[in-house]
Amino acid sequence: MEMKKIGVVGAGTMGHGIALICAKAKFSVTLLDISLELVEKGYGIIEKFLQKSVEKEKITATEKTEILSRIEKSTALESLKDADFVVEAILEEAKSKFEIFNKLDGIVKTEAILATNTSSISITAIAAQTQRPDKVIGMHFMNPVPVMKLVEVIRGMVTSDATLTETMNLTELLGKTPVVVNDYPGFISNRLLMPMINEAAYALMEGVATEKGIDKVMMLGMNHPMGPLALADLIGLDTCLYIMEVLYEGFKDPKYRPCPLLKKMVAARYLGKKTKKGFYEYE
């Protein structure tokens, strides 16, 4: 299948990043969200990122203009009817994703592939909301999208070989490195990462060390670029808790039980950088 137009549903942190790398790879992109305000916000962040790239002489001003010209802004799912590939990047909540895929299935042409950027929800369950489960796949980008090389390509139970091949090819055209993963809770990245963050929260709750002490051990002793608690703040503590709950529910294993401190902080709306307070405080 010749791929020309890519739709991105969700203009938030992940969505606008995906739209940017698709436009840089010379695809026509439709960036969509529930309101024009959200779309304009995402588009504005793309514009700022490209302007910084111009200032650093990574791209020219002409290239910036060309990249932006490839991005169409929309609030209507119907604008994706002629898309060849659609990436959903809305909030990490199963019911919302199920609804979007059910709607997309009735709008997007039958030969198009529908991908989800979910970091934990079953691809097989999402695919079951459509009449094309063989054309549904997971495409889990890492944050920040323009910088991070990895994309977990998650194959659902019914995902076809052709869909997998097309998605792998697209991932490489976007300048990313795909790793194929089967459909289990948390896939690989979050199945390994989130229990580490959860255990760091337990260590903090039990008074084993301070926030800075825990993070410093992992940074200096394990060569991690940032500590697990700082990373949790960056990801969002609500997202971390949600993924731990998916792991706990999916495996029924007590080792995935969410830390009570993590649950308490989310209840208090201490969600990390986005609320200016999490394990650390932010200006």
Side-chain angles (χ1 to χ4, degrees):
M1 179 177 71
E2 186 180 3
M3 215 174 287
K4 293 182 178 178
K5 182 175 178 179
I6 296 176
V8 180
V9 182
T13 301
M14 301 305 292
H16 69 246
I18 295 166
L20 169 59
I21 63 170
C22 290
K24 284 184 75 175
K26 300 187 177 180
F27 290 100
S28 294
V29 180
T30 299
L31 179 61
L32 183 145
D33 214 313
I34 56 174
S35 72
L36 188 58
E37 180 184 3
L38 290 173
V39 178
E40 291 288 3
K41 183 178 178 182
Y43 186 87
I45 295 170
I46 292 172
E47 198 167 15
K48 286 178 183 176
F49 180 90
L50 291 173
Q51 183 56 39
K52 286 181 181 178
S53 297
V54 171
E55 291 166 4
K56 293 177 181 177
E57 299 184 346
K58 292 182 177 180
I59 62 171
T60 66
T62 301
E63 287 172 324
K64 172 194 168 185
T65 302
E66 289 173 352
I67 292 166
L68 290 172
S69 72
R70 297 186 194 110
I71 302 174
E72 174 191 7
K73 294 173 276 188
S74 177
T75 58
L77 285 175
E78 289 73 18
S79 63
L80 304 180
K81 64 181 184 295
D82 59 344
D84 301 304
F85 198 104
V86 177
V87 184
E88 167 273 314
I90 65 169
L91 74 164
E92 189 69 358
E93 198 274 312
K95 183 181 177 183
S96 299
K97 290 185 188 292
F98 289 171
E99 289 175 357
I100 284 289
F101 272 78
N102 181 264
K103 290 177 182 177
L104 285 171
D105 188 48
I107 294 170
V108 181
K109 58 188 180 182
T110 55
E111 63 269 30
I113 292 171
L114 304 180
T116 173
N117 183 56
T118 181
S119 58
S120 61
I121 299 168
S122 168
I123 308 304
T124 304
I126 292 173
Q129 312 307 311
T130 76
Q131 299 300 310
R132 63 179 97 188
D134 59 312
K135 293 185 179 297
V136 176
I137 196 163
M139 204 176 186
H140 180 208
F141 290 83
M142 304 293 123
N143 184 26
V145 177
V147 176
M148 301 295 279
K149 283 290 185 182
L150 174 68
V151 176
E152 277 186 304
V153 177
I154 306 106
R155 187 172 193 165
M157 186 172 284
V158 192
T159 305
S160 69
D161 290 342
T163 297
L164 179 65
T165 299
E166 291 280 358
T167 305
M168 295 282 282
N169 290 342
L170 173 61
T171 302
E172 291 172 350
L173 286 171
L174 297 178
K176 303 301 181 185
T177 302
V179 175
V180 179
V181 178
N182 286 319
D183 189 17
Y184 284 89
F187 316 132
I188 288 295
S189 59
N190 281 325
R191 184 171 175 176
L192 300 183
L193 173 64
M194 287 302 158
M196 181 184 71
I197 288 173
N198 196 53
E199 195 61 30
Y202 268 112
L204 179 65
M205 182 181 76
E206 293 163 7
V208 179
T210 64
E211 295 92 338
K212 289 183 179 178
I214 292 166
D215 281 353
K216 197 173 289 185
V217 166
M218 298 307 292
M219 292 168 68
L220 301 182
M222 314 304 166
N223 206 27
H224 288 198
M226 66 192 304
L229 298 177
L231 180 57
D233 279 355
L234 180 63
I235 294 168
L237 302 195
D238 51 341
T239 300
C240 294
L241 175 59
Y242 180 80
I243 295 169
M244 284 307 302
E245 289 172 337
V246 168
L247 291 170
Y248 190 44
E249 176 65 25
F251 290 113
K252 304 295 186 186
D253 190 324
K255 72 181 179 182
Y256 297 114
R257 184 172 68 94
C259 175
L261 175 61
L262 181 62
K263 294 173 74 172
K264 189 184 296 185
M265 291 178 73
V266 171
R269 304 302 294 169
Y270 294 165
L271 306 182
K273 280 198 166 184
K274 59 187 172 186
T275 59
K276 309 297 183 186
K277 184 174 176 61
F279 291 110
Y280 298 91
E281 293 191 9
Y282 303 87
E283 292 299 325

